[in-house]
Amino acid sequence: MSHASTSDIRNLVLTVVISMLFLFAWHHFVDAPRIQKTQEAAATYSHTVSSSETETPNPNAKPEIIDRDRALLSQPQRVKINTQQLHGSISLKGLRIDDLTLATYKQTLEHDAKEVELLSPSPTSRSYFIDLGWVSTTPGIQLPGKDTVWQSNSNELTATNPVKLTWANPQGVAFEVTISIDDHYLFSIERKVINHSQTSLSIQSFSAINRTHDSYNPALAPHTRDTSSIMYEGPLGVLSNKLEEFPYEDIMEKKSIQYLNAKGWVGFDDKYWLTALIPSQQDTVNARFNYAHRNGRERYQADLTWPEHTIAPNQQYQDSSHIFTGAKKVKLLDQYGLQYNIPLFDRAVDFGRLYFLTKPIFLLLQYFYSEINNFGLCILLLTVVVKLVLFPIANKSYETMSHMKQVQPKLAALKEKHKTDKMALNKAVAELYKKEKLNPAFGCLGMLIQLPIAFALYKVLYVAIEMRHAPFYGWITDLSAPDPTSIFNLFGLIPWTPPLFMQIGAWPLIFSLTMYVQQLLQPTPSDPIQANMMKILPLFLLFVFATLPSGLVIYFVWSNLLSIIQQKYISHRVEKKVNKIHATHSKKHA
């Protein structure tokens, strides 16, 4: 292979590596702070599937925002939700699921930390709730609305005690909603309309998830997805067996995105949590994502509307659906997908375009976790397994790189000899590679093959909920958070908290050191510019990795250490092999 083609491959590898590093850096230094600033969700009220809403929008008005406890106390007519996984309540006024916390997930690591608040009432700063109701084209029919107070047959919803909510209008039409919940995060909704009036009634059921964001500045739009984002957070759905993601900016720009006569599910996706509306997969529904700037606040909605049904006098109509609202545990999502025929439900976890790699890697990691019950140790074990799988490729790559390092002096001599004749240099380099039985492409191609797997591992460790608040050893109490130590306060010895850009912990420093050692074991790029870039790469990555979850940094440190051991062993073996070949050649010439 010619010297030129080898250089091209090296340039390609370097370009890919630098591009990935740029994406990671952009995400953590630009996207992550922006997302953090705009993550505050705020209130909306809506039965907005109906076109008969009477509120007059006022973009300049500023609604009163109250705290969550006060909002709940202001609506005392509630049915309590109490299971092993969920706590909260359903508002009987307006039939709204607007109070839900995750019993097994805490907001912080503090002993008395509050449960993660997933759904919250309308007047709060983190407004996020679910409406259930009906719309009708029949003139004069009175339907339950946002001010309707429902009657309940029970004060508490548990996994063994469903509740039935009822309301009847003066025209003789009765509405019933039966809500049950399983041991995890799935609500089952059974709706029934009984027509005791003397006229036929045309009616449609709807379900809507409402979420409002206070920041109206498009530059701070929340949870966007673009080419620099590591994962997606925002409105999404599976419609016609295809995962569709609808960034907030897209909905804001288009105001409304609709899918008619669809099957599947829709919802709002966060890094670890999901709220989704799931119709019976025998039903065909209309799905819609809406945006409105109303009363000074940004309002987003995902809703489903069932087909219109005509109910004759003394007849009834009913439909069934599910609502998922909870933690995105892949095993549970897979279980629901199989049990209720929910298409691509596990894709709520953003495994990305490398799904064929990321999902199996996650399942393996999950198996290790079930056996070891320490996520940090699972990461180390997973790294070993990946290294073993890639051993033949990595072995050949490191062997080639070690051999390349051995012939560096000869390459330098050839460059000096033919510095004014590029064609002669290429010919001499090709003859040297042939004599040394060396193919530099194996070193570069080996790296290219390993890059997708490395990125898949990165992706898995970034999105896995099992890493959230998972402790390791020493000062790492949360593998999903950056290393809390900093070299600038001597890792806690000085009672001073450095600013965010100076938070460079021990694990990122260890990573940077291991990367530097790895570079010493590899041949120096012939291009001086490339060589200088590679020298500053460990320092550049030090600042990038300081912002990454510590679990990811630990993975890369452990991976680097294993690679160093492998490279050292191969370098020693190649050196002996090359010396033996040279000794043989010397004897022949003697």
Side-chain angles (χ1 to χ4, degrees), residues 235 239 244-260 266 286-291 301-303:
L239 301 163
E244 302 282 359
E245 295 167 348
F246 308 95
Y248 287 101
E249 285 102 333
D250 288 359
I251 301 175
M252 181 190 299
E253 179 183 350
K254 298 177 181 177
K255 306 303 181 186
S256 181
I257 300 174
Q258 300 187 48
Y259 282 77
L260 303 179
V266 298
N286 295 335
R288 187 177 63 167
F289 293 89
N290 270 2
Y291 165 82
Q301 177 173 297
D303 62 59

Side-chain angles (χ1 to χ4, degrees), residues 188-389:
S188 296
I189 310 296
E190 300 285 342
R191 285 181 283 197
K192 183 185 295 185
V193 180
I194 307 170
N195 185 7
H196 295 303
S197 71
Q198 301 302 310
T199 59
S200 293
L201 168 66
S202 294
I203 201 163
Q204 290 177 271
S205 303
F206 77 83
S207 300
I209 305 173
N210 301 274
R211 197 171 193 176
T212 304
H213 293 270
D214 278 334
S215 175
Y216 187 57
N217 183 356
L220 299 178
H223 300 305
T224 59
R225 181 174 194 158
D226 53 35
T227 54
S228 66
S229 298
I230 300 302
M231 62 172 295
Y232 176 78
E233 296 180 86
L236 83 169
V238 170
L239 301 163
S240 301
N241 287 312
K242 182 182 178 182
L243 177 66
E244 302 282 359
E245 295 167 348
F246 308 95
Y248 287 101
E249 285 102 333
D250 288 359
I251 301 175
M252 181 190 299
E253 179 183 350
K254 298 177 181 177
K255 306 303 181 186
S256 181
I257 300 174
Q258 300 187 48
Y259 282 77
L260 303 179
N261 302 318
K263 292 187 177 182
W265 55 273
V266 298
F268 286 92
D269 187 47
D270 295 298
K271 182 174 182 179
Y272 296 127
W273 328 116
L274 171 70
T275 299
L277 305 175
I278 309 164
S280 169
Q281 296 307 302
Q282 282 75 43
D283 292 338
T284 298
V285 296
N286 295 335
R288 187 177 63 167
F289 293 89
N290 270 2
Y291 165 82
H293 181 214
R294 191 186 303 277
N295 291 342
R297 313 183 77 179
E298 295 186 24
R299 306 167 185 270
Y300 296 89
Q301 177 173 297
D303 62 59
L304 298 177
T305 306
W306 275 252
E308 187 174 50
H309 285 269
T310 300
I311 310 174
N314 298 317
Q315 298 296 313
Q316 64 180 31
Y317 160 73
Q318 66 181 42
D319 59 65
S320 62
S321 61
H322 292 96
I323 297 172
F324 178 95
T325 180
K328 296 193 298 185
K329 301 171 72 172
V330 175
K331 185 177 181 180
L332 187 61
L333 297 178
D334 282 336
Q335 175 186 318
Y336 286 145
L338 290 173
Q339 184 175 355
Y340 299 105
N341 194 32
I342 307 171
L344 305 180
F345 202 40
D346 66 321
R347 300 299 178 91
V349 178
D350 186 12
F351 285 122
R353 297 184 183 278
L354 295 176
Y355 178 86
F356 64 96
L357 285 176
T358 51
K359 182 68 180 288
I361 288 173
F362 175 82
L363 293 176
L364 181 60
L365 188 65
Q366 192 175 56
Y367 170 74
F368 290 154
Y369 187 63
S370 67
E371 297 293 325
I372 300 176
N373 202 32
N374 183 303
F375 205 77
L377 293 179
C378 291
I379 292 173
L380 302 185
L381 181 56
L382 178 66
T383 310
V384 173
V385 171
V386 171
K387 286 290 185 183
L388 290 174
V389 172

Side-chain angles (χ1 to χ4, degrees), residues 98-118:
D98 61 356
D99 169 28
L100 207 63
T101 64
L102 306 182
T104 57
Y105 293 94
K106 305 297 182 180
Q107 294 183 20
T108 67
L109 289 170
E110 301 298 326
H111 177 70
D112 57 348
K114 291 184 178 181
E115 297 172 0
V116 168
E117 297 170 356
L118 189 55

